[in-house]
Structures are given as C-alpha cells and as structure tokens.
C-alpha cells in the first residue's frame, strides 16, 4: 500500500478537530481522507477510518477515476467534471441503491464549480445514507470542489464532528 500511495499521491495532513488523550487512549475525534489534484481540487474522499485493504481500494479507485475522466474528457474541463460525477453516481447506485438522475443535478459549466453545500445530504434520503454514500452524493452534485470548500461539510455534516483549532488535550 505504501508504494502505491507514494507513487500516486503526495501525503499531507491537517488537524481540523480536537480530541483528548487520557492515559494514552484517544477519546473523540475522527478522520477524513481526500484524494486531490495538485491544485487542491477533490477527486474522491473517504469519511471515517478504514482498514489498510479498504483504504488501498479507495486510493486505487480514485486513481482509476482520475485516469478514466482524463481519457473521456480529452482536455475538456466540463467533460472531466461530468466523468467524475458519473463515477460517483455509479458508486452511489451500486453501494447504496440510490440512483440520482443526472438531469436532476446542477449543470456543470465552465469556470470554477459551485461552492458545495450540505443541502443534498440533509434531505431524508441523504440522512439515510452512510458516511460514504453522503460523500458520493456531495461529489456527484459538486464534482471537483476545492478541498477548502469541502472539508468542513464532510467533517461536520457527514462525520458529525466540530471543526476546531484547539490543541489536543493530553491528560
């Protein structure tokens, strides 16, 4: 897994929540992983912790999705976003049984994508999805968002944690 990740990604981290460490045991907190392009746009995200096999599966899917989208788009930014949307819609349907018709989604236009909101996952259908289903819904509605616009929604609305800059409380 380490070789695949180092061959395909630049690893970084950012603490956005807080937790306590009591007697060496972490209490609270959560994790989200993002697979981004070099400009900080999100191809794929994972909400919550995963085992090594599952994480590698998601990383490989992100790489495959990016390659497929680039191949289908042929350099066209709108087609690239549409191909990414299609990938997330397929995962949403296959893993959650939810089929969102593309015509019900916002149009993909040239220029920067719209700023993501949590409206789509706050619906009855959205709340019934698991964490990953909610992430696929967000990325289907808002393909290729900036990480800076997405991480608060994933952390607070999907994972139900609070973004915080407070230091870790080690007791």
């Amino acid at each position: 897994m380490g070789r695949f990740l180092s061959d395909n990604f630049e690893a970084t981290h950012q603490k956005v929540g807080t937790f306590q460490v009591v007697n060496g045991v972490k209490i609270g907190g959560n994790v989200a992983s993002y697979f981004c392009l070099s400009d900080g746009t999100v191809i794929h995200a994972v909400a919550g912790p995963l085992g090594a096999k599952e994480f590698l599966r998601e990383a490989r899917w992100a790489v495959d999705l990016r390659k497929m989208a680039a191949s289908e788009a042929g350099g066209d930014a709108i087609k690239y976003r549409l191909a990414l949307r299609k990938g997330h819609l397929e995962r949403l349907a296959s893993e959650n049984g939810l089929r969102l018709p593309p015509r019900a989604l916002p149009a993909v236009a040239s220029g920067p994508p719209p700023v993501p909101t949590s409206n789509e996952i706050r619906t009855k259908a959205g709340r019934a999805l698991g964490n990953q289903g909610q992430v696929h819904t967000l990325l289907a509605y808002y393909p290729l968002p900036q990480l800076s616009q997405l991480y608060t929604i994933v952390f607070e609305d999907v994972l139900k944690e609070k973004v915080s800059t407070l230091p870790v409380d080690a007791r």
Side-chain angles (χ1 to χ4, degrees), residues 1 4 16 42 60 67-68 71 73 77 80 89 92 104 108 139 143:
M1 178 172 71
F4 181 82
V16 299
V42 178
R60 285 183 172 147
K67 288 178 181 178
M68 181 273 307
S71 175
Y80 189 74
L89 287 172
L92 189 58
V108 173
L139 292 171

Side-chain angles (χ1 to χ4, degrees), residues 34 42 44-48 88-89 91-93 95-98 100 105 116-143 145 150 152-161:
Y34 300 89
V42 178
H44 181 43
V46 176
H88 288 285
L89 287 172
R91 288 279 303 266
L92 189 58
E95 295 174 4
N96 296 277
L98 181 59
L100 297 174
L105 301 172
T117 72
S118 60
N119 294 342
E120 293 76 22
I121 60 172
R122 289 185 176 184
T123 65
K124 184 177 180 181
R127 287 190 310 269
L129 296 170
N131 291 353
Q132 206 51 45
Q134 290 182 356
V135 169
H136 286 302
T137 299
L138 287 167
L139 292 171
Y141 271 89
Y142 306 102
L150 185 68
T152 300
I153 295 170
V154 171
F155 205 67
E156 292 192 345
D157 296 306
V158 175
L159 293 171
K160 308 295 187 230
E161 299 282 350

Side-chain angles (χ1 to χ4, degrees), residues 24-96:
V25 178
K26 180 180 167 245
I27 300 171
N30 215 321
V31 63
S33 302
Y34 300 89
F35 301 94
C36 303
L37 298 177
S38 61
D39 65 356
T41 54
V42 178
I43 297 286
H44 181 43
V46 176
L50 292 178
K53 279 185 178 180
E54 294 83 9
F55 188 81
L56 181 58
R57 174 181 170 250
E58 295 301 325
R60 285 183 172 147
W61 185 79
V63 169
D64 291 344
L65 178 62
R66 181 191 56 78
K67 288 178 181 178
M68 181 273 307
S71 175
E72 286 185 14
D76 183 302
I78 293 173
K79 288 180 181 177
Y80 189 74
R81 285 189 194 141
L82 288 171
L84 294 174
R85 170 181 279 173
K86 178 180 152 191
H88 288 285
L89 287 172
E90 287 173 356
R91 288 279 303 266
L92 189 58
S94 70
E95 295 174 4
N96 296 277

